[in-house]
Structure formats: structure tokens, C-alpha cells
Amino acid sequence: MLGAYTGKILRVNLTTRKINMERLDEEKARKFIGGKGLGAKILYDSLKPGVNPLSPENILIFASGPLTATLAPTSARWAVVTKSPLTNIFLDCQVGGYFGAAMKLAGFDCIIVEGKADKPVYLWVHDKNCEILDADFLWGKGCFETEEILKKRLGLNVRVASIGPAGENLVRYACISVDKYRQAGRGGAGAVMGSKNLKAVAVQSSGHKIRYADPEGFRKAANEALRVIKENSFIPLRRKYGTPIWVSPVNKAALLPTKNFRTGVFEKADEISGETMRKKIVFKDGTCYNCIIQCWKYTHVKSGKYKFDELAGPEYESIALLGSNCGVGSIEAVAYANMLCDNLGLDTISTGNTIAFAMECFEKGLLTLKDTDGINLKFGNAEAEFEMIKKIANREGIGNLLGEGVRRASKKIGKGSEKFAMHVKGLEIPGYDPRGAFGMALAYATSDRGACHQRAWTVRAEISGELAPRFSTKGRAKFVKETQDERAMCFSLVLCDFAPLKIEHFVKLLNTATGFNFTVEDYLKTGERIWNLTRLFNVREGITREDDTLPPRFMEEPLPEGVTKGQVVTKEMLNQMLDEYYTLRGWDENGIPTKEKLKELELI
Ligand code: SF4
């Protein structure tokens, strides 16, 4: 038996109401680890190509990793894996909070949900068992209230993952809300839950004891990792301001998405910065399970039109997309919009992006007051943003179209709107304009779930000069490829990607926890295997080089101001980076993994 795993998988079929406890396949665990990797393997083996993500044939996987809930710092993390209804390709979301640790301590490495219930239900996982219970009384309720009701009913120590009206209404970028203020945000995992009539999963630890392969070695490795985190010079800033610390430097670097990515400089950036947020609306810090970094910022607005009681956020990405990208320059208004999204169960990145797209359509006369039910959808109108959020979650009026995401909405609207529909493979772009950091262009184009900043975040290396020269494609392919492989492992262990640890620390923690004997090379090879497996999944769904691209705006319209003035990532530049990247990956010129590469990675 491997150390650190529970060795058990809970499989629930909502159609047949069968509940099975399965043994974890140790060979699969060795090759794909946990979290993202193990989830990807289960998904790849379970789904036939072409399955409709919102049909009962899709599956939803909640996967912890060998390091989840261990003594290792930042061990709160876990992953949600499914086929995305927004992109129709692979989706994994990395989540913090307490739910993942509770699932593992309830005795399960993974929960797999199949089929579709004939009426709303929730899962109640406790005492090493699971019940499928009626959720009629929860249907239609927001995520906050759902969690409160379930905790009242089942116990305050219960951890909840739930969907709001957006997930019930199959909004393609509905999120799963976890522990109230954390989200499996991107790609519509909440809509997959909604399509299964699954309102929530409630988990209670059963006191499962994690057994380490080398307890003393693991304790030392965990202490060493903790020391490194404590001594890292960036951690105090992250603790004080959270991710919003990035608003000012990203705006200064002229790559803060503004008014649907038309510029990288927002004139009201100071009003939505981390510093302003701390001063005006933060009232306490918070943290995930077993993490001293404490990057959650609890906020509230005590009076006025943006009044709300409590939120953990907004994070940088929410500020960038609901704030500057919609021209909204008030931190109170951004926090209010974020609170609406969290409660209704919407991904803030896709929501902000889609509303900004609609604002540009409105400005250009492609949408009119008649389309918006009289809402003046101009950039900077925070109240219009709030109304759109509610309409999207409820699929009401124009919200029905916008709930499909910018790719589908722009196809329907037409009239050239595809040129400013800001997505890659259907997933809306996060908070960094790649015309100001060319590595992000390649990272977005090749990410396995569509435009994502987490798979290879090149921004700091590019604006700090570590990846020089600044406006160049030089070295970007190697940086992106190596980061993607390394992050694929971090997301499989699972530890937090904010932990400033080196690969050697991760390897030591993994080996002493599980009893594996990985070298650094084995570790990176496993990351590469996981990355190639998600590519295989996507290739099976029809993805080719043509899809590894960017919205026309990034390739045709130079940025207009600031230090990035005149910068653009042309088709030629992207192609050059793709050629280099595919060669480094051992993929052919169409971006398909070669037989030799798959053999080398033991994928065939
Ligand atoms: S750094 Fe922040 S997100 Fe990561 S585990 Fe710690 S509190 Fe959670």
C-alpha cells in the first residue's frame, strides 16, 4: 500500500443511484500521481470522444493528491476534473479551502460522479459512506445560503461544494463554490454539476489517519518547506495584500486588461489596487487548510449602494476582469460584483470578459437598449454590470446569450464581433495582455484548458527582466514548456502554486510521503506525461494547431499606450513560438504528440 493515499475511490452513479467503493490503482497513482494527473487519466479512460459535456455520459471527478491534507505546507489543494461545456475539451480546476482535506480525511482520494439524477440531489459523504439525498429544498438558492443550510443541517464541521442558479441554469462558465469563498472557477464545472441535478456535495472528515511511507523523512521535508516559505521575501506582501498586489505593477507594465483588452493601462488602476483594497475594504486575513501564507482577504462594504457583509476577495483576476476590463474603477463596486458572482455561482474571469465583450458590442451598436432590456451597457457602468451578472446567472433576456460565453455569443451576434471576442479555445482570457508579455501568448495558445494563466505564468519573469529581452519571443517556448510540465506535477500532488518551493522540495515531500523513489528527472517526466495525456484528450476531441491561437485583437491591433505602446503578437511570431514549442515537446508540426514521444512517456 502506497503511503499518503487513502487507497479508496468513491464512485457514485446518479442515474442508477449505485454507490461503489473502489480501490485506487497503484500503478495509475505512480504514473499520474493524483489531482489533475489522476483525474485526467480517469477522464481519458472513461469518456468516449465527442461526448456532450452536459449529458449524463460526462463524469465529474473531485481528486485530492498524495500531499492533500498532509503536514506539507499549503496542502489544502485538490482538483476538479471534467470535460468542459464551455470549451468541449479537458478541464481541471485547482481549488483551495478545506473541502479537499475533508474529502481525504473522510477516507477518499477521489469522488467520481456519473450519470444524472432524475431530480435535484446532494451527496452526503460521512463515516466512510455516502448517501444521495433530496435537494429540492436547496434548488434555486445561492451558494452562500446553500452552504449555510447544509452546515446547519449536517454540522458546522461539514465542508460543502455547491452550485448556484448559474450552475442549475447550465451557464457554460458556472463555477463550483467551495467553502463559501473558494471556487472551481473556470470552464463550467458548475454547469456539469447542474446537468447532473447535483446541487451540492457535503463532506465530513471521518478521522482517516494519513500514513506516511517515511514519517520522519516527511516531517523533515515538511519543516524544510515551511522554513523556505517563511523566509521568502515576497510572502509578507502576499500576506498583506493577497493577489491584488499585482494590480499596480501589471498596470505599470501596461498589460492590465482594460475595456475589453483595448489597452493595457487603466486610468483608475490606483482605485482598484491591492493597496486601496487593503485600506478601504479588507477587515481580516484568512487562509486555506494548513497554510501560513494567509492570502485570503476578507472584505466588506458597510454602507452605500455597494453594501455587502462579507467576501473573501476579490482576487487579482476578478479585479482585472470585473474591474478595469469593464472600465469599473471602484474597488467597492468590483467587490460587490465579485460577491454577486460567487453567490450566483459564476466564474468571475469569464463573466467580466463576457460583459466587457457585450459592452463593446453595445458601444459599436451591435447590441442596443432593446437587446439589453433598457440597460445602458457602457464601459464603466457598475450598476449595468451587476444587472448583467444577474441576467447571465438566470439566463434571462440577453443573459441567455451571454451565458454561452464569448465564443458562442460572438458567432450569434456576428458582424465582426468575433474579432474582439477574447478567448482561446472558448475559454475567456485572464488578466494579462499577452502583447505586453509574449510568453503569455504562447502560454494561452497552448494551455490544455484554453486561455489560462496558471499553466505557465511568464509575467513576472518577463517584466522583471529574468526572461529578456522584454518584447521578444526568445526563450519563451522553453520557459513555457518547462513550466507547464512542472505545474502539471504541482497540480497533481496537490500543493498550492503560490508556495515558493523548488522542485527538489516537491520531490522530497512526494517520496517521503508515498514511498516513491522519484529523481528530479522522474518528477519532470511525470509532469510531461500528464501534459501529453491532456493533449491526447484534446486531440481526440479534434484540437489541432489551428486551435493553438489567439483572438485577432492580440495579433492585429497594437497596444496604444504606456510602455507596451505599439506591441502586438503577430501570427508569424506566434507561429515561430509554436514551431519551437512543438519541437521541444516532440510533437509534429500540427501539434500532435508523436508515437515516439508517447512511447517514451509510456502513454502507449
Ligand atoms: S497561499 Fe493562499 S490560496 Fe494558497 S494555500 Fe495558502 S491561503 Fe490558500
Side-chain angles (χ1 to χ4, degrees), residues 166-309:
E168 296 172 11
N169 294 322
L170 310 184
V171 173
R172 289 184 188 270
Y173 45 91
C175 66
I176 300 175
S177 167
V178 180
D179 297 311
K180 210 165 175 184
Y181 299 128
R182 300 289 103 186
Q183 286 79 29
R186 308 237 58 203
V192 175
M193 252 175 96
S195 74
K196 298 187 175 305
N197 273 330
L198 179 60
K199 178 68 179 176
V201 180
V203 175
Q204 187 177 47
S205 160
S206 63
H208 170 83
K209 291 263 177 302
I210 295 177
R211 192 190 60 82
Y212 301 105
D214 170 6
E216 187 51 23
F218 186 79
R219 196 186 54 77
K220 274 192 194 150
N223 282 342
E224 172 61 8
L226 192 60
R227 185 189 64 75
V228 169
I229 291 173
K230 278 184 179 161
E231 290 175 5
N232 183 279
S233 59
F234 185 62
I235 293 301
L237 276 179
R238 193 179 280 290
R239 184 173 301 131
K240 185 162 183 192
Y241 298 108
T243 52
I245 185 62
W246 285 103
V247 174
S248 297
V250 171
N251 187 59
K252 200 166 153 221
L255 43 95
L256 184 67
T258 302
K259 297 179 186 163
N260 202 28
F261 288 89
R262 286 193 296 202
T263 172
V265 180
F266 185 43
E267 70 274 14
K268 293 183 179 166
D270 281 351
E271 291 168 46
I272 56 169
S273 69
E275 293 82 349
T276 300
M277 178 170 136
R278 178 98 215 171
K279 203 160 67 192
K280 284 182 134 182
I281 61 170
V282 173
F283 67 93
K284 68 173 177 182
D285 304 326
T287 188
C288 298
Y289 176 90
N290 190 25
C291 178
I292 58 152
I293 299 174
Q294 292 190 333
C295 78
W296 301 16
K297 300 301 129 210
Y298 278 97
T299 55
H300 60 189
V301 175
K302 284 186 176 161
S303 58
K305 56 185 177 176
Y306 306 135
K307 183 178 180 302
F308 66 89
D309 292 336

Side-chain angles (χ1 to χ4, degrees), residues 43 47 50-53 58-59 80-92 172 186-189 192 407-408 424-427 444-452 533-544 547-548:
L43 191 76
L47 257 55
V51 157
N52 175 353
N58 195 9
I59 62 171
V80 174
V81 178
T82 189
K83 183 176 174 183
S84 161
L86 186 61
T87 62
N88 283 327
I89 59 174
F90 174 78
L91 175 67
D92 71 303
R172 289 184 188 270
R186 308 237 58 203
V192 175
R407 178 166 67 177
R408 288 175 174 87
V424 172
K425 299 183 180 78
L427 190 68
Y444 289 153
T446 59
S447 153
D448 53 5
R449 63 174 187 175
C452 173
L533 179 66
T534 60
R535 182 70 177 185
L536 278 184
F537 184 93
N538 290 343
V539 166
R540 203 169 69 172
E541 297 294 336
I543 292 295
T544 68
D547 303 287
D548 292 347

Side-chain angles (χ1 to χ4, degrees), residues 59-89:
I59 62 171
L60 185 68
I61 304 158
F62 288 2
S64 68
L67 297 187
T68 303
T70 64
L71 295 173
T74 78
S75 64
R77 311 287 287 194
W78 59 289
V80 174
V81 178
T82 189
K83 183 176 174 183
S84 161
L86 186 61
T87 62
N88 283 327
I89 59 174

Side-chain angles (χ1 to χ4, degrees), residues 261-509:
F261 288 89
R262 286 193 296 202
T263 172
V265 180
F266 185 43
E267 70 274 14
K268 293 183 179 166
D270 281 351
E271 291 168 46
I272 56 169
S273 69
E275 293 82 349
T276 300
M277 178 170 136
R278 178 98 215 171
K279 203 160 67 192
K280 284 182 134 182
I281 61 170
V282 173
F283 67 93
K284 68 173 177 182
D285 304 326
T287 188
C288 298
Y289 176 90
N290 190 25
C291 178
I292 58 152
I293 299 174
Q294 292 190 333
C295 78
W296 301 16
K297 300 301 129 210
Y298 278 97
T299 55
H300 60 189
V301 175
K302 284 186 176 161
S303 58
K305 56 185 177 176
Y306 306 135
K307 183 178 180 302
F308 66 89
D309 292 336
E310 187 184 277
L311 177 77
E315 300 288 347
Y316 167 81
E317 301 295 331
S318 309
I319 294 175
L321 278 306
L322 293 169
S324 53
N325 205 41
C326 291
V328 173
S330 147
I331 193 65
E332 292 93 339
V334 172
Y336 189 86
N338 192 152
M339 181 276 299
L340 285 177
C341 287
D342 284 6
N343 191 33
L344 294 167
L346 285 169
D347 172 31
T348 55
I349 299 179
S350 286
T351 303
N353 215 308
T354 306
I355 293 174
F357 164 78
M359 285 173 164
E360 187 163 348
C361 287
F362 190 76
E363 193 178 89
K364 288 185 158 75
L366 306 181
L367 291 176
T368 65
L369 284 173
K370 203 168 151 233
D371 298 309
T372 63
D373 292 334
I375 294 168
N376 182 9
L377 200 53
K378 63 173 189 192
F379 283 108
N381 186 350
E383 281 70 25
E385 181 178 76
F386 305 157
E387 288 312 306
M388 280 300 133
I389 290 171
K390 292 177 208 159
K391 279 182 177 293
I392 290 169
N394 294 309
R395 278 194 175 266
E396 184 193 300
I398 186 77
N400 191 36
L401 177 64
L402 300 181
E404 293 286 288
V406 296
R407 178 166 67 177
R408 288 175 174 87
S410 67
K411 273 201 183 127
K412 188 91 191 276
I413 293 168
K415 298 179 187 150
S417 63
E418 299 90 341
K419 291 212 167 207
F420 55 85
M422 306 307 287
H423 70 92
V424 172
K425 299 183 180 78
L427 190 68
E428 288 77 13
I429 310 275
Y432 313 92
D433 194 311
R435 290 168 291 183
F438 294 174
M440 286 316 297
L442 184 65
Y444 289 153
T446 59
S447 153
D448 53 5
R449 63 174 187 175
C452 173
H453 58 290
Q454 286 179 304
R455 276 60 191 143
W457 190 65
T458 68
V459 175
R460 179 158 51 188
E462 293 197 85
I463 63 180
S464 70
E466 186 192 319
L467 250 181
R470 166 87 190 266
F471 300 117
S472 164
T473 57
K474 192 168 168 249
R476 271 45 174 191
K478 185 169 182 294
F479 189 93
V480 167
K481 187 257 177 205
E482 287 176 356
T483 310
Q484 287 170 341
D485 291 347
E486 187 272 322
R487 293 288 88 173
M489 275 302 283
C490 180
F491 294 150
S492 300
L493 293 174
V494 185
L495 288 184
C496 180
D497 49 339
F498 295 159
L501 299 174
K502 294 207 166 82
I503 293 174
E504 288 74 11
H505 298 120
F506 292 131
V507 172
K508 194 122 217 162
L509 288 165

